Amino acid sequence: MSYEVTATRRRPQAFEALAGQEFVAETLKNAIQSQKIAHAYLFSGPRGCGKTSTARILAKALNCANGPTATPCGQCQQCLEITKGTSTDVIEIDGASNTSVNDVRQIKDEILFPPQGSRYKIYIIDEVHMLSTSAFNALLKTIEEPPAYCIFIFATTELQKVPATIKSRCQQFNFRLVPIERVKQLLAEAAAEINIKADDEALYWVARESTGSVRDAYTLFDQVAAFSGDHITYDKIRDKLGLVGVDRLNAIFEDAAQNKCQDALLKIDEFLQNGVSIEQFIVNCTDYLRSLLLIRAGITKEALLGQSYDRYSQTVLKAWNPVQLERALSILLQLYRDIRYSLSPRYELELAFSRLSWLSQYVSPAEVKKAVDEAKSLLMQGTSTTLSTPASAPQARRQFISIPQSEPSQPALQQTSASQAPANAPNPANPYLNRVVTDVPRSDEASPQAQTPSFSYGGAVPPQQTAAAPVQPAQFSSDSDFRNLAIKELSVRDPMIGSSLLQTGDWIRSSGSVTTQVSSSFLKMQLDSHSANISNFLSELLGEKIRFEVVLKQIVQGPPVEETAPSSVKILCDVFKGSITGHSKKTEQEMAAEKTKKAEDSQNQTPPHASEDENDDESE
């Protein structure tokens, strides 16, 4: 016998043999058994999923000698003729090559004659969407009311191109893609029929490449079996078809994950030198990253990954988080789209892996937004605690001690030696108030008075510490120094208050109050809302009760524009209902004097033509 391809040899001959189309098979079987046979059927679905095979099985079931039956015998004359395609009552028409109205007219003439030796005359029109609009319209009446012995079966891969008038006259059946596990099982059965041993990894690869089409899977299986001999392995497929195996992909992506760009580029050059095409290499890398992303999501199904998840590199899985894996997959998908119009696809590939080498430093926009929000909350919230540290503070507490500057002319300061000076002695050269920050460790054995740190500003001790401590106000050389230090300390506590205080004018200290001026009413309102906090801070800084007051600066305005404007301008404003936005600062007297001066200058000037006439008269 002559060689027969696997797709033809293993074409389904019964409803039970349809792979992945259980809904279609059960519906048609029940319709035949209950004698509810429609006059027109429309089969739609992707390529290679069994539409034409189902149409032939339905024709055999209706014209079988034992039928109509849901299980045709396959041995009678009608079944054999339909299987071979020689039946005169089952006519298969290619819709792509018979698209005109004349072809439809021929069908309308033929259906007037009953079947010769069968029960039904069945028309199977494949790729029916290729018919022209006129041909569809000519077929409408025939499909709607055909003879009782005539049945139409349409098959198409593009259901959207079939007119709605045709769909409404047919029973529609949507065929689905076959699952990869089922395709792999069919391939294993096909290999067993021809006595070829096939590894599961190789069959999984063929099933995945078929994308759910059984015919594509059988066609690729025949090609692989032709060069594999008696044993089909994934290594043979990888070497013959120029694929990049998972082991090689593990090696190159480990280099990329560890920021070894040079090693990754050298491996790419090795793959390309061995004959691997750039397009195929990108496809393999994309499948690899997809599998890694599925593994990070907790999916370890071998049918989805194509092979066992243990074969994928744990180094890459630990180096890249899901966000970075999604970014890597997006880079390769965009690379496959870009190489079609690229100057050099190899340059594009090397650039992509150079980007993947620093992918571990990639931060997603969501992470950036989260970090910015956290930083913003830290800047906006300020410090709500008082100067004294609460009891729930951490082990190390801060003590802020403000020491006033001593006058350099004091004899005691001149006579103090460096060995006798305290560790926190002020710097005499500092013109501002010295501030020492020390960390006081918390001791569980100390008394409550010792556990609570004392905070002193210029020698002033808060009342809650001890009543016996003397209150000594801080000494400032000027109000400007006092203002600068207060704004500096408040900026640490609350940046918004500090920025508002920077816009204030000079601070004037008086008994029990500090007054300043601002030029904006909004700024005054903002400072008034925080006046209590500012007053408390200034009270602790100076050691006495201080009230902080903000005064709005009065802007001295000149006389209204209308009062100084000329009378003629005022008349114009009254007539045209306008207003004066600005005018010259010259008075009416000055403007009149300028006008008189210009008139005198114009009279004193002699016209050029007049002088020429006088000269002509003198010459005569």
Side-chain angles (χ1 to χ4, degrees):
M1 295 179 61
S2 60
Y3 173 74
E4 191 176 14
V5 296
T6 305
T8 304
R9 187 181 73 252
R10 291 186 54 82
R11 183 185 289 273
Q13 301 298 329
F15 288 116
E16 292 78 5
L18 290 174
Q21 313 301 335
E22 289 77 10
F23 166 74
V24 177
E26 289 298 326
T27 304
L28 292 177
K29 288 170 62 176
N30 293 336
I32 294 173
Q33 291 175 356
S34 60
Q35 298 297 319
K36 296 179 181 178
I37 303 171
H39 60 273
Y41 295 91
L42 177 59
F43 297 160
S44 63
R47 67 185 188 280
C49 59
K51 298 185 295 296
T52 306
S53 299
T54 304
R56 292 181 179 179
I57 296 173
L58 179 59
K60 287 193 296 183
L62 296 176
N63 287 336
C64 180
N66 301 327
T69 176
T71 55
C73 64
Q75 302 297 327
C76 63
Q77 181 180 358
Q78 300 298 330
C79 291
L80 294 176
E81 289 179 355
I82 294 174
T83 302
K84 295 178 181 179
T86 60
S87 177
T88 57
D89 296 327
V90 178
I91 302 99
E92 294 191 23
I93 301 174
D94 182 15
S97 57
N98 299 273
T99 61
S100 64
V101 179
N102 293 331
D103 299 320
V104 176
R105 185 181 294 113
Q106 182 179 356
I107 296 175
K108 294 175 64 176
D109 294 339
E110 290 178 357
I111 64 173
L112 297 177
F113 302 96
Q116 298 180 6
S118 303
R119 190 175 294 105
Y120 293 97
K121 177 176 281 190
I122 300 174
Y123 285 90
I124 301 175
I125 303 179
D126 202 2
E127 300 299 329
V128 71
H129 64 274
M130 298 297 292
L131 294 179
S132 63
T133 304
S134 301
F136 275 124
N137 293 334
L139 199 58
L140 290 179
K141 188 63 175 178
T142 305
I143 297 176
E144 186 174 6
E145 296 178 357
Y149 51 79
C150 186
I151 295 176
F152 288 93
I153 303 176
F154 302 136
T156 179
T157 56
E158 299 183 22
L159 182 62
Q160 71 278 2
K161 293 185 179 181
V162 179
T165 53
I166 297 293
K167 297 178 183 177
S168 63
R169 290 167 169 81
C170 303
Q171 284 191 8
Q172 300 183 39
F173 292 89
N174 296 321
F175 287 68
R176 300 175 298 178
L177 291 172
V178 183
I180 294 179
E181 289 284 352
R182 180 60 174 152
V183 175
K184 185 255 181 184
Q185 181 182 356
L186 295 175
L187 293 174
E189 295 175 358
E193 286 182 0
I194 58 178
N195 298 323
I196 292 180
K197 185 178 180 181
D199 294 345
D200 289 342
E201 185 178 2
L203 296 180
Y204 267 124
W205 180 85
V206 175
R208 289 184 61 194
E209 290 295 317
S210 67
T211 63
S213 174
V214 180
R215 184 171 59 233
D216 290 358
Y218 284 147
T219 303
L220 185 57
F221 172 79
D222 289 339
Q223 181 181 358
V224 171
F227 62 73
S228 297
D230 297 335
H231 189 190
I232 301 176
T233 62
Y234 182 75
D235 294 336
K236 292 180 180 179
I237 296 175
R238 181 192 62 194
D239 297 336
K240 298 296 182 180
L241 298 181
L243 306 179
V244 183
V246 66
D247 298 332
R248 298 178 182 178
L249 291 174
N250 283 335
I252 191 172
F253 276 99
E254 284 178 359
D255 293 338
Q258 296 173 0
N259 200 12
K260 298 179 181 179
C261 181
Q262 181 180 4
D263 297 340
L265 295 179
L266 291 176
K267 286 185 174 63
I268 291 176
D269 179 70
E270 180 183 354
F271 296 156
L272 299 181
Q273 292 294 334
N274 292 335
V276 178
S277 65
I278 295 179
E279 292 81 0
Q280 185 63 47
F281 180 69
I282 297 175
V283 170
N284 295 144
C285 292
T286 305
D287 292 339
Y288 179 83
L289 290 175
R290 170 188 173 271
S291 300
L292 292 182
L293 195 59
L294 293 176
I295 293 174
R296 288 301 300 263
I299 300 174
T300 58
K301 186 178 180 181
E302 190 172 355
L304 290 177
L305 303 178
Q307 47 200 331
S308 177
Y309 72 95
D310 296 333
R311 298 195 58 181
Y312 292 92
S313 173
Q314 296 296 323
T315 302
V316 182
L317 289 171
K318 294 178 181 178
W320 289 343
N321 56 35
V323 176
Q324 293 168 341
L325 285 174
E326 290 180 1
R327 176 64 178 172
L329 185 59
S330 176
I331 290 175
L332 289 178
L333 290 174
Q334 184 62 38
L335 173 63
Y336 190 81
R337 291 189 289 265
D338 292 343
I339 60 175
R340 299 182 181 181
Y341 309 102
S342 175
L343 175 66
S344 175
R346 177 166 181 168
Y347 296 167
E348 298 281 354
L349 178 61
E350 292 172 349
L351 178 61
F353 269 87
S354 177
R355 293 172 179 172
L356 293 178
S357 298
W358 54 263
L359 189 62
S360 56
Q361 304 175 9
Y362 172 76
V363 180
S364 65
E367 294 174 337
V368 174
K369 181 180 181 300
K370 181 180 179 181
V372 171
D373 292 341
E374 292 178 354
K376 182 179 179 181
S377 62
L378 291 176
L379 292 175
M380 297 296 291
Q381 69 182 0
T383 305
S384 60
T385 58
T386 59
L387 292 174
S388 59
T389 307
S392 60
Q395 294 294 330
R397 301 187 178 187
R398 285 200 161 183
Q399 179 181 6
F400 298 88
I401 306 175
S402 300
I403 304 175
Q405 178 185 357
S406 302
E407 296 294 335
S409 60
Q410 292 180 359
L413 181 62
Q414 297 176 356
Q415 297 177 0
T416 303
S417 62
S419 60
Q420 296 175 353
N424 56 356
N427 184 6
N430 187 3
Y432 297 100
L433 183 65
N434 291 279
R435 181 175 175 83
V436 181
V437 182
T438 59
D439 288 337
V440 180
R442 185 176 181 178
S443 174
D444 296 336
E445 297 178 359
S447 61
Q449 291 78 7
Q451 292 181 5
T452 304
S454 61
F455 298 91
S456 173
Y457 288 88
V461 182
Q464 66 268 24
Q465 293 184 7
T466 172
V471 177
Q472 299 178 359
Q475 301 296 328
F476 296 95
S477 60
S478 64
D479 290 344
S480 177
D481 295 343
F482 166 68
R483 175 182 180 274
N484 294 336
L485 178 63
I487 293 177
K488 180 180 178 181
E489 297 300 331
L490 281 172
S491 298
V492 176
R493 292 181 166 216
D494 195 330
M496 294 188 64
I497 296 179
S499 63
S500 301
L501 291 175
L502 285 174
Q503 305 178 44
T504 59
D506 296 336
W507 289 15
I508 302 174
R509 286 190 295 166
S510 59
S511 57
S513 66
V514 173
T515 308
T516 184
Q517 291 184 346
V518 294
S519 58
S520 172
S521 58
F522 173 76
L523 184 61
K524 180 180 182 304
M525 179 182 65
Q526 188 176 13
L527 290 174
D528 288 341
S529 62
H530 298 284
S531 61
N533 296 333
I534 300 174
S535 300
N536 293 335
F537 171 76
L538 296 180
S539 300
E540 295 173 355
L541 182 62
L542 296 176
E544 58 178 331
K545 185 67 175 178
I546 297 296
R547 184 177 71 259
F548 184 75
E549 298 179 353
V550 181
V551 180
L552 186 62
K553 185 185 298 183
Q554 298 294 332
I555 300 177
V556 179
Q557 297 181 354
V561 176
E562 290 76 5
E563 296 180 1
T564 60
S567 58
S568 59
V569 177
K570 295 180 180 179
I571 294 173
L572 290 175
C573 292
D574 295 338
V575 172
F576 294 101
K577 305 299 181 181
S579 61
I580 302 173
T581 58
H583 66 89
S584 176
K585 296 182 180 179
K586 297 179 180 179
T587 61
E588 292 183 359
Q589 292 77 8
E590 293 176 351
M591 294 175 66
E594 288 183 359
K595 186 182 295 185
T596 304
K597 185 178 180 181
K598 289 181 180 180
E600 293 176 355
D601 293 341
S602 62
Q603 293 176 0
N604 293 333
Q605 292 180 357
T606 303
H609 63 275
S611 60
E612 292 178 358
D613 295 341
E614 292 175 358
N615 293 333
D616 294 341
D617 296 339
E618 291 176 359
S619 62
E620 292 178 356

